[in-house]
Amino acid sequence: MTSEELKEKVEIALEEIRPFLQSDGGDISLLSIEDDKLVKVQLKGACVGCSVNQMTLKSGVEMTIKKHAPQIEQVVNIDA
């Protein structure tokens, strides 16, 4: 899989989870994918500073991304 295909799969995963984040007043954007293993995202809106955002990131976002792109090993949030 090319880097472009991988990015597409990650974007599809984010589109899948975005409505849940938006329903709570938040959002997420893809910043980068490094070494085809590490995804850097930025949580926005109500997700910033939310006490459960780490749980959301691991159980929701990372799990959804890995479902679409199994080679991804980790998803991290980069604060603005």
Side-chain angles (χ1 to χ4, degrees), residues 8-80:
E8 242 172 71
K9 289 197 178 296
V10 171
E11 288 286 6
I12 289 167
L14 293 181
E15 283 302 319
E16 197 173 296
I17 203 146
R18 190 166 275 126
F20 299 102
L21 298 175
Q22 289 174 337
S23 70
D24 288 331
D27 205 348
I28 191 167
S29 58
L30 175 63
L31 297 179
S32 65
I33 302 171
E34 297 182 4
D35 302 323
D36 293 345
K37 292 180 182 144
L38 173 69
V39 173
K40 290 185 177 180
V41 296
Q42 187 172 56
L43 292 169
K44 298 178 172 186
C47 294
V48 177
C50 172
S51 59
V52 295
N53 77 14
Q54 279 310 104
M55 191 180 78
T56 299
L57 194 65
K58 290 295 169 197
S59 63
V61 178
E62 189 171 278
M63 189 180 76
T64 304
I65 288 175
K66 285 179 173 179
K67 182 176 79 179
H68 289 275
Q71 69 270 49
I72 297 298
E73 293 174 5
Q74 189 180 13
V75 177
V76 295
N77 178 50
I78 306 298
D79 292 321

